[in-house]
Amino acid sequence: DFLFFWGAVFLVTTTLVALLKKENKELTPTKEETKGITDTYKLLFSIIKMPAVLTFCLLILTAKVGFSAADAVTGLKLVEEGVPKEHLALLAVPMVPLQIILPLIISKYTAGPQPLNTFYKAMPFRLLLGLQFAFLVWWTPKVKHEGGFPVYYYAVVLLSYALHQITLYSMYVAIMAFNAKVSDPLIGGTYMTLLNTVSNLGGNWPSTVALWLVDPLTVKECAGAPDQTCGTALAAEV
């Protein structure tokens, strides 16, 4: 219902913009180097071939490998250990005000001449939180009892997620600020879209690989069948 409602709102508002919004033809458009789709892609390739941009893209594509498993798998492992999905979803509610406030606070530190300093400083803390998430997954079955999980367990999970959000947004806002700073104003939209796309891809591909590796790297034991291995999905089913 939630997705259906906002999907309908999205379709209606986008359609209204398409039908009602008109360009102001009286104003002289700003000179741009691109005139069409072909020119835009040619420009993108010329941007990527620049040594500084190429180096930055390689760095940003690999920068998030260290915490991809913690980001992608922790929630699934907590559910696997018995934490109700509804409770984890409810923990996202207190995160909303934090997600609104954090960019406002962090932007003060990324507005200077070196916005990536915030990115560098946040990275070791985010890596340490990956270890903390691993400890959280290990600790979860030990505190579970017949009535579920104690309140202090959810408090620890909430605090862990809050600290994670602080490091995540510190890195995210810093990258956005850097992309805005280095983008050529003449082709700002094209330039920023390219850098932000690479940045998003740098976060998505490690998470996908981490999820794909969960099964091969999970050690399983077959209870009551000492000679049977559970290494593959077929063996586990047997």
Side-chain angles (χ1 to χ4, degrees), residues 199-219:
S199 179
N200 290 333
L201 186 61
N204 289 336
W205 81 260
S207 296
T208 304
V209 172
L211 288 169
W212 181 71
L213 287 172
V214 167
D215 261 356
L217 294 177
T218 299
V219 179

Side-chain angles (χ1 to χ4, degrees), residues 52-124:
V53 174
L54 190 61
T55 304
F56 176 68
C57 287
L58 289 172
L59 287 170
I60 207 63
L61 278 171
T62 54
K64 298 177 183 177
V65 171
F67 28 78
S68 57
D71 288 2
V73 185
T74 300
L76 298 173
K77 283 294 176 184
L78 291 180
V79 171
E80 191 179 280
E81 295 294 348
V83 181
K85 281 185 272 189
E86 298 82 5
H87 293 180
L88 282 179
L90 280 174
L91 291 179
V93 176
M95 294 295 109
V96 174
L98 189 66
Q99 290 166 352
I100 295 170
I101 295 166
L102 277 174
L104 297 172
I105 298 171
I106 296 165
S107 61
K108 295 177 182 178
Y109 301 97
T110 57
Q114 296 177 315
L116 281 184
N117 279 352
T118 307
F119 183 93
Y120 301 144
K121 289 174 183 175
M123 181 174 276

Side-chain angles (χ1 to χ4, degrees), residues 5-230:
F5 173 79
W6 287 111
V9 170
F10 181 83
L11 285 172
V12 170
T13 52
T14 309
T15 305
L16 288 174
V17 169
L19 295 175
L20 302 178
K21 176 64 181 164
K22 304 296 180 187
E23 297 294 340
N24 191 345
K25 295 180 181 179
E26 295 177 4
L27 296 174
T28 306
T30 308
K31 181 180 179 295
E32 289 189 2
E33 291 184 18
T34 56
K35 294 180 179 178
I37 295 174
T38 307
D39 288 338
T40 302
Y41 278 99
K42 284 180 181 177
L43 182 62
L44 285 175
F45 282 117
S46 68
I47 293 170
I48 290 175
K49 285 190 287 185
M50 294 165 63
V53 174
L54 190 61
T55 304
F56 176 68
C57 287
L58 289 172
L59 287 170
I60 207 63
L61 278 171
T62 54
K64 298 177 183 177
V65 171
F67 28 78
S68 57
D71 288 2
V73 185
T74 300
L76 298 173
K77 283 294 176 184
L78 291 180
V79 171
E80 191 179 280
E81 295 294 348
V83 181
K85 281 185 272 189
E86 298 82 5
H87 293 180
L88 282 179
L90 280 174
L91 291 179
V93 176
M95 294 295 109
V96 174
L98 189 66
Q99 290 166 352
I100 295 170
I101 295 166
L102 277 174
L104 297 172
I105 298 171
I106 296 165
S107 61
K108 295 177 182 178
Y109 301 97
T110 57
Q114 296 177 315
L116 281 184
N117 279 352
T118 307
F119 183 93
Y120 301 144
K121 289 174 183 175
M123 181 174 276
F125 293 102
R126 193 168 173 187
L127 287 168
L128 286 171
L129 279 170
L131 294 174
Q132 200 270 330
F133 277 169
F135 169 77
L136 191 64
V137 171
W138 171 82
W139 183 54
T140 297
K142 300 185 183 307
V143 295
K144 186 180 179 182
H145 52 75
E146 290 183 4
F149 291 88
V151 175
Y152 68 83
Y153 171 78
Y154 289 110
V156 171
V157 173
L158 187 63
L159 179 63
S160 301
Y161 276 16
L163 292 172
H164 177 259
Q165 289 293 312
I166 292 170
T167 58
L168 187 150
Y169 272 86
S170 295
M171 296 179 71
Y172 175 74
V173 174
I175 282 290
M176 291 292 285
F178 178 79
N179 291 347
K181 195 171 187 64
V182 300
S183 296
D184 186 346
L186 190 64
I187 48 167
T190 307
Y191 212 125
M192 270 204 74
T193 301
L194 171 66
L195 295 179
N196 288 337
T197 301
V198 172
S199 179
N200 290 333
L201 186 61
N204 289 336
W205 81 260
S207 296
T208 304
V209 172
L211 288 169
W212 181 71
L213 287 172
V214 167
D215 261 356
L217 294 177
T218 299
V219 179
K220 300 173 185 175
E221 295 177 3
C222 295
D227 298 329
Q228 180 70 26
T229 61
C230 294

